[in-house]
Amino acid sequence: MDLLLLEKTLLGLFFAIVVATVVGDDLNHRNLSDYAKKFGNVFLLRMGQRNLVVVSSPDLAKEVLHTQGVEFGSRTRNVVFDIFTGKGQDMVFTVYGEHWRKMRRIMTVPFFTNKVVQQYRHGWEAEAAAVVEDVKKNPEAAKNGIVLRRRLQLMMYNNMYRIMFDRRFESEDDPLFVKLKALNGERSRLAQSFEYNYGDFIPILRPFLRGYLKICKEVKQRRLQLFKEYFVDERNTKATSNDGLKCAIDHILEAQQKGEINEDNVLYIVENINVAAIETTLWSIEWGVAELVNHPEIQKKLRDEIDTVIGPGVPLTEPDTYKLPYLQAVIKETLRLRMAIPLLVPHMNLHDATLAGYDIPAESKILVNAWWLANNPAHWKNPEEFRPERFLEEESSVEANGNDFRYLPFGVGRRSCPGIILALPILGITLGRLVQNFELLPPPGQSKLDTTEKGGQFSLHILKHSTIVLKPRSF
Ligand code: HEM
């Protein structure tokens, strides 16, 4: 290598490091929306050794997720996700192919059908009722307020652990729940952080990540061990639940016994549900509550609808949620403005591809900026406003299932979220029961809740878990 080439290489490396550390540190949906305004609806960022393609128009989203859904249907991983998914032995982060197809088929019957909704909806209603009872019992809730999220988190774990293991946790202090929550929280924090991007993008910097990756490995080991010891092994010895019905893990273990998947795959399915189902739905409920507190007129309109259609004090059920168009509109608006996974889970093309006439090198990470699609003023009326009415007026034909490429809170196509079938009724039951039973208010001395966002690699949640006053209604 001559001197000039060496100088150029070093200069190139220097710029790659600067871009990877400065830009790579905050690749959130809002920054990427600003780049789209500057660079267009498709642009490529070269981050060290990784190519990152950002797609920001409904037409191009359709191309990636639908028309070329197979070409762009894989997932990128990175040094951290490789650890947590055993290099794609799971379903969410595996490439598009035989393994994914098998995992998705095996998971469909136990998790993603209307039969599952009908089997578990009474349990979800009972969990929401238990939240209402616990809040009513706590005098602090009506006076200075409580961090409602903590109780809702227990509810969400119970909603999903009933489906998975026919299990629930009695209280927020249950030691097993505390341990599980801490390990899942640590896994999310480590995976969603931007902290490790520099070492992921630039392999020669990877030695600096050694400490970080060691912690990831330890958390992963402890977590999978916990799933195995306390949940999966227990189920291995029980045939069916008390009422004779199978829970999800029974179906999954059957697939293992048939030799379709191995024990690691079983544990990665449990891992996937823990991250894909619980936190996403919880964040959405938390955003919904915050928006309802900050928009008392919307909250009142929703309460009036529930009182009129269901009757004051009549406990709202899952079938009721479909009779409540304003409740549905509140949920859609929450998922639009506060999209829990604003960039979808990153997609990837295994082979060289073309998009809008541009060459996309193989193994590029493809981010569809779904948040921008749903918040671009060129396509939506006053998108920054929280206004559920839009879904009853000018956007009344738009559904959350991807029937309109401007609105993709669950993605669309092959890698879209199969959990939508569970998430929507859980959101409806929970928000419905809360508004039905309480007046939700900011804490004394505060007129609004702080709704500052915190973004991660592909998550969006509220920065500060709000304290909320819940005044019980009397019927
Ligand atoms: C409000 C709650 C939820 C939201 C907003 C949400 C959103 C999403 C999004 C945007 C994706 C990626 C789509 C893509 O990459 O094109 C996804 C994938 C996925 N979600 Fe959800 N989700 C939610 C709840 C759930 C629930 C309750 C479950 C399971 C019970 C679940 C299971 C999954 C799985 C397994 C995938 C990966 C699909 C694949 O790669 O083939 N999600 N979700």
Side-chain angles (χ1 to χ4, degrees):
M1 186 183 285
D2 67 27
L3 218 57
L4 194 68
L5 190 62
L6 180 68
E7 197 185 316
K8 273 191 179 164
T9 310
L10 287 176
L11 213 64
L13 187 64
F14 172 74
F15 281 120
I17 290 173
V18 170
V19 170
T21 46
V22 176
V23 182
D25 222 26
D26 211 356
L27 289 168
N28 72 45
H29 58 289
R30 285 187 193 269
N31 290 344
L32 292 178
S33 304
D34 288 342
Y35 293 151
K37 287 178 215 159
K38 270 192 224 150
F39 304 125
N41 288 333
V42 56
F43 60 88
L44 184 143
L45 294 173
R46 203 177 282 277
M47 316 287 284
Q49 69 158 16
R50 305 255 193 224
N51 290 311
L52 180 70
V53 175
V54 184
V55 168
S56 310
S57 76
D59 285 352
L60 290 177
K62 183 172 180 188
E63 189 70 22
V64 167
L65 302 172
H66 177 72
T67 319
Q68 296 202 58
V70 172
E71 288 81 348
F72 292 106
S74 285
R75 298 278 191 217
T76 40
R77 297 192 302 261
N78 59 40
V79 283
V80 169
F81 280 88
D82 268 354
I83 294 173
F84 286 120
T85 67
K87 297 202 169 146
Q89 291 184 64
D90 65 332
M91 187 267 236
V92 181
F93 295 99
T94 198
V95 295
Y96 183 76
E98 269 316 303
H99 173 72
W100 171 81
R101 248 190 299 278
K102 186 171 64 184
M103 292 288 266
R104 189 132 172 169
R105 173 176 53 75
I106 289 170
M107 287 171 77
T108 297
V109 168
F111 290 108
F112 306 128
T113 65
N114 193 42
K115 203 171 156 202
V116 177
V117 175
Q118 293 317 313
Q119 185 176 336
Y120 289 98
R121 63 124 169 143
H122 301 285
W124 303 337
E125 289 157 14
E127 292 300 337
V131 172
V132 169
E133 281 318 300
D134 282 357
V135 172
K136 280 186 181 165
K137 272 191 262 166
N138 182 351
E140 220 18 47
K143 215 168 124 208
N144 295 315
I146 54 167
V147 180
L148 181 62
R149 177 192 202 269
R150 295 204 189 114
R151 184 58 187 81
L152 292 172
Q153 187 175 33
L154 173 67
M155 179 201 79
M156 260 325 288
Y157 269 85
N158 283 346
N159 284 347
M160 293 314 302
Y161 272 67
R162 278 174 184 259
I163 302 180
M164 266 195 292
F165 300 110
D166 194 22
R167 289 267 292 267
R168 69 183 296 276
F169 305 97
E170 206 48 55
S171 81
E172 287 171 54
D173 307 322
D174 181 322
L176 186 54
F177 172 65
V178 172
K179 213 160 147 183
L180 185 61
K181 197 175 65 163
L183 280 171
N184 277 341
E186 200 48 9
R187 185 264 188 229
S188 287
R189 191 188 63 74
L190 289 163
Q192 288 295 331
S193 167
F194 293 111
E195 237 179 274
Y196 60 84
N197 273 357
Y198 72 93
D200 183 56
F201 296 157
I202 304 161
I204 57 157
L205 298 182
R206 215 154 283 170
F208 295 105
L209 279 186
R210 217 171 274 147
Y212 196 91
L213 299 183
K214 188 165 168 269
I215 298 173
C216 293
K217 281 181 196 147
E218 282 164 11
V219 169
K220 174 247 177 91
Q221 280 306 338
R222 282 168 45 215
R223 212 165 141 256
L224 293 192
Q225 191 56 28
L226 184 88
F227 294 150
K228 179 171 154 47
E229 242 176 65
Y230 288 88
F231 299 99
V232 177
D233 282 354
E234 190 217 46
R235 219 44 223 182
N236 247 327
T237 55
K238 270 192 205 170
T240 45
S241 67
N242 300 336
D243 47 12
L245 287 171
K246 278 188 196 168
C247 63
I249 200 70
D250 300 330
H251 292 274
I252 311 287
L253 288 170
E254 251 174 47
Q256 186 194 343
Q257 277 145 21
K258 282 192 215 152
E260 292 185 284
I261 49 173
N262 62 29
E263 189 187 11
D264 284 346
N265 301 136
V266 172
L267 293 176
Y268 285 117
I269 288 176
V270 176
E271 118 76 30
N272 276 179
I273 296 292
N274 271 270
V275 285
I278 296 176
E279 287 298 322
T280 44
T281 315
L282 181 62
W283 294 332
S284 305
I285 297 172
E286 200 179 3
W287 279 122
V289 169
E291 293 296 354
L292 288 169
V293 170
N294 285 350
H295 296 89
E297 67 298 345
I298 294 174
Q299 190 186 141
K300 179 175 180 313
K301 194 165 164 184
L302 176 56
R303 187 173 300 116
D304 289 348
E305 178 184 68
I306 299 171
D307 282 356
T308 310
V309 179
I310 315 294
V314 180
L316 180 148
T317 64
E318 180 264 341
D320 293 333
T321 60
Y322 309 107
K323 299 180 212 149
L324 300 164
Y326 198 64
L327 174 64
Q328 296 295 341
V330 166
I331 293 169
K332 284 184 191 172
E333 183 67 342
T334 303
L335 296 171
R336 184 192 66 80
L337 188 63
R338 309 298 192 173
M339 213 172 264
I341 316 202
L343 305 169
L344 307 185
V345 178
H347 284 238
M348 191 251 276
N349 52 316
L350 272 177
H351 310 290
D352 288 342
T354 50
L355 185 62
Y358 295 102
D359 291 333
I360 310 292
E363 301 197 3
S364 295
K365 174 171 169 173
I366 317 286
L367 295 180
V368 175
N369 193 343
W371 181 85
W372 180 236
L373 303 183
N375 285 271
N376 182 346
H379 299 303
W380 297 80
K381 205 165 118 188
N382 300 329
E384 66 294 342
E385 227 182 281
F386 184 81
R387 186 173 59 88
E389 284 75 7
R390 74 177 77 244
F391 286 105
L392 302 173
E393 294 165 10
E394 74 271 20
E395 307 294 356
S396 61
S397 60
V398 178
E399 298 296 338
N401 63 7
N403 72 341
D404 186 316
F405 282 86
R406 292 171 306 146
Y407 184 62
L408 305 173
F410 296 93
V412 67
R414 290 166 180 76
R415 299 309 289 258
S416 67
C417 177
I420 183 175
I421 196 164
L422 313 180
L424 290 178
I426 291 175
L427 275 161
I429 294 167
T430 311
L431 291 175
R433 290 256 181 152
L434 286 172
V435 169
Q436 188 178 34
N437 285 284
F438 302 101
E439 205 182 327
L440 309 166
L441 301 159
Q446 229 174 288
S447 62
K448 291 242 183 246
L449 298 181
D450 179 353
T451 53
T452 308
E453 296 173 347
K454 172 140 177 61
Q457 293 278 349
F458 51 82
S459 67
L460 170 65
H461 47 96
I462 201 163
L463 178 66
K464 292 185 197 131
H465 302 312
S466 322
T467 297
I468 291 158
V469 170
L470 297 107
K471 286 223 157 81
R473 294 177 70 210
S474 45
F475 298 106

